[in-house]
Amino acid sequence: GGGTFYCAITKGAGIAECWGGNGAGELGIGIRGGGLIRVPRGVHNLGQGVQEIATGSDMTCAVTKSGGAKCWGWEFEGELGNGVANDNGYADTPANVVGLTSGVRSIAVGNDNGCALTNSGVVECWGNNLEKQLGTNASGTQSSTPVVIAGLPSGIRSVAVGDGFACALTGPGAVMCWGWVLGNGSPEFPESPSPVSVTGLTSGAHS
């Protein structure tokens, strides 16, 4: 669930449905607002066979049957990955994440960021970059299109996004994080654009 809303994928048909607050269009039902939506409604333009859905505070992303990444909701800091930045606007139906129309294995969403793990084991992220959570390939500001996170080993198994940071699970079960909260014993409020290993989680971890 997101801040005030929830989404789920139906069993069998694999249809994405959302309900709850819709102030930023985060339900993806073609309208913004409309009060509290108390009954699940189908997300527009995703079709059947949705593989995964992830929610943030005011945004949602999904992986379609064909392996494409789509996001909707608030798009103030490029967090939808659709090429729109600083628009202070909203998308009330799913928009394609630029460059990720296929080949996406999984997706994760934070407060103002999204990250995707591709079938080739590459992690790409977009949105806010205040805490350097877009990695060393970012320009230093937010990005409305995905950027590849450099410094990760091959064989990444999963990715997670928090508030100002992201983490990846490697093949051997190590956890590596970048951005604000690193978990490696560094001082308060550390920021690193390069992934660093989390102390004590160098192997055997699982998602």
Side-chain angles (χ1 to χ4, degrees):
T4 60
F5 70 104
Y6 298 88
C7 294
I9 301 172
T10 64
K11 188 176 180 179
I15 297 172
E17 298 185 346
C18 298
W19 65 98
N22 191 40
E26 57 264 55
L27 301 188
I29 58 176
I31 61 170
R32 181 168 69 90
L36 187 65
I37 308 299
R38 300 179 182 275
V39 177
R41 295 189 185 180
V43 177
H44 289 198
N45 304 326
L46 284 184
Q48 297 186 356
V50 175
Q51 299 180 34
E52 187 177 19
I53 194 162
T55 59
S57 58
D58 296 294
M59 61 176 287
T60 310
C61 294
V63 180
T64 66
K65 182 179 181 180
S66 61
K70 291 177 178 282
C71 297
W72 58 96
W74 192 35
E75 57 180 2
F76 180 64
E77 294 174 307
E79 53 266 70
L80 301 188
N82 63 347
V84 177
N86 293 320
D87 186 51
N88 200 19
Y90 309 86
D92 55 26
T93 58
N96 288 328
V97 177
V98 175
L100 294 176
T101 55
S102 64
V104 175
R105 185 192 310 173
S106 64
I107 202 161
V109 176
N111 283 349
D112 46 17
N113 284 97
C115 289
L117 174 62
T118 70
N119 289 333
S120 59
V122 173
V123 175
E124 301 189 32
C125 299
W126 58 91
N128 190 7
N129 193 39
L130 186 62
E131 284 82 28
K132 303 180 182 177
Q133 61 265 48
L134 296 187
T136 56
N137 285 339
S139 64
T141 60
Q142 69 264 22
S143 177
S144 61
T145 58
V147 295
V148 174
I149 303 300
L152 290 172
S154 59
I156 295 298
R157 290 158 51 187
S158 65
V159 62
V161 182
D163 185 4
F165 70 100
C167 296
L169 179 65
T170 71
V175 178
M176 302 182 73
C177 298
W178 59 97
W180 182 38
V181 183
L182 302 179
N184 67 336
S186 53
E188 187 177 7
F189 303 122
E191 293 179 356
S192 174
S194 298
V196 297
S197 296
V198 174
T199 302
L201 293 176
T202 56
S203 65
H206 58 85
S207 57

